[in-house]
């Protein structure tokens, strides 16, 4: 007799085609703008054309008289609702954040009034008919302005929005820095970035007679958004139900509702009508919170062998006028030296208010740590005449060095950037490249090779109240089909596929039989959705545990009803097999029939039905690691950079779907390329944004992004349920230094790069030609 | 605002409508005709998400007015696959190559590739990649879009290697 097949089908680790794609490829997805309701009206905002000033008067009479206009609201009209504009962590703001400007405007694009009309064309016509008189004041635009200029928010003590670290220099640390054999210092300025999801923000707010406020929202997780609205509005009689089916990308921008979405909800409460606001691209590039405008001075002391002795960082980040959460970006400091053998470290970090649109999250918000460190390490290597790879081998914490503790108090158990680097070097032949590079230089061609390594916190939960756990609720329906409600959410992540892969494998059912729902805060339990690169770890863990509970229940029922031993019951291919002299096979429908319709046949004390749920709390911190390399050619006549090769070697633990993992790496790398070479939200001296279309804000196209090569050989399972580590932000963190180091290597004969981003052709030509070139803006 | 009577064919069905002169084709297709697969990403002709076929040519429907489509035959992404639910070869190839994540730019990508590969056309891979430079995808880094374009041009790709 053949051994009975007891293994279930394998889905975890497979390049499963995505179930989302069937609707998305055929135009049948439901994004927020695809929702239309009876009686729904459209919203357009009148926005400030000045960056800083007092509102002297607002005249909305002409707008109100336009046929088709239903209402025009200003701050005064919204006074009944003064929501507490919480941060992502649900902390109250450090300065009051009005929904509409009250008596002062704080940035170009600051919403002053909202028009509600029968269609968007009329709403925009009417918004253009509103007249506002301003008393314009000199604005605070840049970080340097913020440090010296007038108060952005009168009544505050300074323009410091948030601060961590110490202003005072530590004399012992200074002594270590100043007496070291080699002190490397870099100063860098990172430009402002627009997250630029292809679908801008959007909301439909529909008050229901029952007291429910149904909010269709482009967001990163309907559960967190519903919790945010509920806590922000604090209206016990109103239930906030958030529905978010398909979302066209987010990258941090839609992690929490902000002024416009919240103003639309408040207006719907006041007017009792369904209202829709869809952000257009001009609004998205000027009025949606932005990211990354930072500067940093980093000092690092080395001995002559390249060992790290001490470091100090002085860091600033532009918070704009109304940041999603006032922030000095402590994670930059947490991760700057977390993977390196360096104990003496101190810093000062400040977030600064300015008369620009507020700070939001962007993929890997703390990414400047990797850019600063990796660029500095390469510079030090050039000066100390040490191979940059040897410098990393010397300074990185390896698997053998762990467990250990970082100077900032992070416990490390299983990071592997050094091992990822060794894996990378199996595929990137550095010696061969150096010969090619030397030959090319003889012909006037400048090739460069850059490396970078990093670690990334993915499912970090410690102390972050909104991120502690995720839930999965599985039902075998009376029909025998499997439904799962998971607190994950996809803005392109494909979690309806990956979570179904996990459940199908653990439960022993075909992938096609599992439907995952994650689009409605009224079904399932709280979870943060896509925040951090955590969904595989937190959501995947919840799915494993809930599926295992379900499999146990099915086995117990089958054993009891069909008089078998539980250990002889197996579920595979969606059918329940009972091993024995004569194998019996039942469908899940057979088990569901008993569980739902004949509960008296269940084991004594067992709850009727087939429903299980599990709320999984991942470990306090899960980390991924990676090493990347890229090869560029810089055209020294034009300053253009061409990327010839890019290889990624990462440790993301066990993979649920390698194609999804690689998609996340690739997407992050494309954004990295945009950051280093093209993208810049720029302002003139009066605070006017000067990149307000995709002709000025330049996103990478297919010509700018090379074919990426992926190496997964350094991966090791994590301690989490399933051994996953998570993926998402990494490419956007390790990508920039990899590319900058390649450009710096190519142009090393001309000297060191000035670290002002993006590295546009004029900026590179300044180095190549040794003379100032025209600037793109201002 | 002046109203204009237009008559056009959308996905094989005749449509009569009275539209304002300033109504864009994309807003008409989405709002009046209900084809919400037409996605509006930038409204200034750069991102390509709103691409549809007008009389067989790929067109950015945010840069065309509904009145300009009077008498035309328009195909949106909803009209591409046959009625039996099977995906169009462009859609099928993009799915197999994981050429999309959030799916917002996807209808435009699909329509450009479909317009360039329809009928007896045998576009080169260079033609298709060049055309893809007119579409902005913020999610995928164009990896799957590039592979799909190469396959649609008739190239055979090596299977994806799983290292380690």
């Amino acid at each position: 007799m053949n051994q009975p097949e007891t293994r279930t089908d394998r889905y975890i680790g497979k390049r499963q085609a995505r179930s989302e794609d069937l609707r998305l490829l055929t135009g049948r997805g439901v994004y927020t703008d695809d929702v239309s309701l009876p009686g729904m009206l459209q919203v357009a905002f009148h926005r400030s054309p000045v960056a800083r000033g007092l509102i002297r008067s607002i005249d909305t009479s002409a707008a109100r008289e336009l046929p088709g206009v239903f209402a025009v609201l200003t701050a005064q009209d919204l006074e009944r609702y003064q929501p507490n504009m919480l941060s992502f962590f649900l902390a109250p703001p450090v300065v009051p954040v009005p929904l509409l400007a009250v008596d002062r405007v704080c940035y170009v694009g600051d919403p002053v009034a909202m028009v509600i009309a029968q269609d968007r064309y009329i709403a925009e016509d009417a918004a253009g008919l509103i007249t506002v008189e301003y008393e314009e004041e000199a604005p605070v635009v840049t970080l340097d302005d913020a440090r010296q200029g007038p108060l952005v928010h009168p009544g505050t003590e300074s323009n410091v929005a948030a601060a961590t670290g110490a202003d005072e220099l530590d004399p012992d640390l200074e002594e270590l820095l100043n007496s070291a054999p080699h002190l490397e210092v870099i100063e860098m300025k990172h430009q402002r970035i627009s997250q630029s999801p292809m679908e801008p923000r959007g909301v439909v707010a529909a008050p229901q007679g029952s007291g429910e406020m149904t909010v269709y929202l482009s967001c990163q997780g309907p559960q967190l958004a519903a919790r945010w609205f509920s806590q922000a509005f604090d209206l016990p009689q109103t239930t906030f139900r958030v529905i978010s089916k398909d979302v066209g990308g987010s990258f941090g921008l839609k992690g929490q509702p902000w002024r416009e979405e919240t103003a639309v909800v408040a207006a719907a409460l006041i007017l009792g009508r369904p209202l829709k606001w869809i952000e257009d691209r001009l609004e998205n590039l000027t009025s949606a919170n932005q990211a990354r405008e930072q500067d940093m001075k980093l000092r690092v002391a080395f001995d002559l062998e390249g060992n790290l002795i001490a470091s100090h960082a002085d860091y600033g980040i532009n918070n704009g006028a109304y940041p999603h959460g006032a922030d000095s970006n402590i994670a930059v400091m947490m991760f700057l030296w977390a993977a390196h053998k360096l104990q003496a470290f101190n810093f000062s970090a400040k977030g600064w208010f300015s008369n620009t649109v507020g700070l939001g999250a962007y993929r890997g918000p703390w990414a400047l740590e990797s850019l600063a460190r990796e660029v500095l390490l390469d510079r030090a290597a050039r000066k100390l005449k040490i191979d940059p790879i040897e410098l990393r081998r010397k300074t990185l914490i390896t698997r053998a060095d762990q467990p250990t503790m970082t100077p900032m108090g992070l416990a490390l158990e299983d990071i592997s950037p050094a091992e990822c680097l060794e894996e990378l070097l199996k595929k990137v032949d550095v010696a061969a490249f150096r010969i090619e590079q030397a030959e090319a230089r003889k012909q006037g061609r400048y090739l460069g090779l850059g490396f970078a390594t990093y670690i990334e916190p993915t499912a970090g939960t410690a102390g972050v109240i909104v991120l502690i756990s995720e839930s999965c609720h599985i039902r075998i329906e009376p029909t025998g089909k499997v439904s799962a409600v998971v607190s994950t959410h996809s803005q392109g992540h494909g979690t309806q596929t990956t979570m179904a892969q996990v459940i199908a494998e653990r439960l022993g059912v075909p992938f096609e039989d599992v439907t995952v729902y994650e689009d409605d805060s009224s079904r399932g339990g709280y979870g943060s959705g896509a925040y951090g690169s955590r969904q595989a770890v937190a959501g995947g863990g919840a799915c494993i545990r809930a599926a295992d509970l379900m499999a146990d229940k099915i086995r117990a029922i089958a054993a009891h009803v069909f008089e078998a031993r539980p250990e002889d019951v197996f579920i595979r291919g969606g059918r329940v097999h009972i091993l024995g002299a004569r194998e019996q096979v039942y469908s899940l429908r057979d088990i569901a029939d008993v569980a739902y319709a004949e509960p008296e046949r269940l084991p004594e004390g067992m709850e009727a039905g087939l429903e299980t749920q599990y709320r999984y709390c991942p470990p306090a911190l899960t980390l991924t690691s990676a090493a990347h390399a890229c090869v560029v050619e810089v055209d020294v006549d034009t300053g253009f950079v061409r990327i010839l090769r890019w290889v990624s070697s990462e440790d993301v633990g066990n993979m649920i779907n390698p194609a999804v993992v690689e998609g996340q790496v690739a997407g992050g790398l494309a954004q990295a390329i945009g950051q280093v070479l093209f993208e810049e939200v720029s302002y003139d001296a009066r605070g006017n944004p000067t990149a307000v279309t995709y002709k000025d804000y330049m996103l990478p196209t297919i010509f700018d992004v090379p074919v990426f090569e992926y190496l997964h050989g350094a991966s090791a399972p994590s301690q989490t349920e399933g051994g996953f580590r998570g993926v998402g932000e990494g490419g956007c963190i390790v990508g920039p230094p990899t590319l900058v180091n390649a450009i710096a290597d190519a142009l090393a004969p001309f000297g060191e790069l000035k670290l002002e981003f993006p590295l546009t052709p004029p900026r590179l030509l300044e180095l190549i030609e040794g003379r100032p070139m025209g600037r793109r803006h201002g | 605002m002046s109203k204009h009577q237009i008559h056009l064919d959308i996905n094989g069905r005749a449509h009569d409508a009275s539209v304002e002169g300033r109504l864009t084709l994309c807003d008409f297709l989405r709002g009046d005709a209900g084809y919400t697969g037409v996605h509006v990403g930038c409204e200034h002709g750069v991102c390509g998400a709103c691409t549809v076929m007008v009389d067989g040519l790929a067109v950015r429907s945010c840069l065309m007015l509904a009145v300009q489509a009077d008498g035309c035959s328009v195909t949106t992404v909803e009209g591409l696959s046959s009625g039996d639910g099977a995906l169009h070869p462009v859609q099928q190839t993009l799915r197999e190559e994981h050429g999309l994540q959030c799916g917002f730019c996807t209808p435009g990508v699909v329509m450009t590739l479909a317009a360039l590969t329809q009928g007896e056309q045998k576009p080169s891979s260079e033609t298709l990649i060049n055309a893809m430079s007119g579409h902005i995808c913020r999610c995928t880094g164009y990896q799957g879009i590039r592979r799909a374009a190469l396959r649609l041009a008739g190239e055979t790709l090596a299977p994806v290697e799983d290292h380690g």
Side-chain angles (χ1 to χ4, degrees), chain A residues 15 18 25 31 33-34 121 125 194-195 281 362 491-492 663 667 671 679 694 700 703 705-706 708 710, chain B residues 22 24 27 30 39 41 43-44 77 91 95 98 101-104 130 133 138-139 141-143 146 162-163:
Chain A
R15 293 176 182 271
R18 302 196 321 166
L25 281 161
Y31 299 84
D33 195 20
D34 302 338
Y121 286 68
D125 287 344
S194 160
Q195 301 88 338
R281 189 56 64 185
Y362 182 52
Q491 305 94 53
Q671 293 177 349
E679 297 176 37
Y694 280 158
F703 288 145
V705 184
F708 297 122
Y710 311 96
Chain B
R22 64 176 176 171
T24 59
D27 284 348
R30 288 181 52 78
H39 290 169
E43 293 179 273
H44 51 266
V77 71
Q91 293 165 327
R95 184 175 193 221
H98 286 259
Q101 287 180 24
C102 82
F104 199 80
N130 281 346
S133 73
R138 189 60 155 164
C139 293
Y142 307 100
Q143 304 295 298
R146 186 196 313 271
D162 271 324
H163 298 278

Side-chain angles (χ1 to χ4, degrees), chain A residues 56-67:
Chain A
R56 285 294 173 219
S57 67
I58 305 177
D59 181 356
T60 61
S61 54
R64 287 174 202 275
E65 283 162 21
L66 192 72

Side-chain angles (χ1 to χ4, degrees), chain B residues 5-21:
Chain B
Q5 283 299 125
I6 58 170
H7 175 84
L8 69 166
D9 180 289
I10 308 172
N11 297 333
R13 284 180 184 275
H15 281 254
D16 285 297
S18 173
V19 298
E20 282 189 10

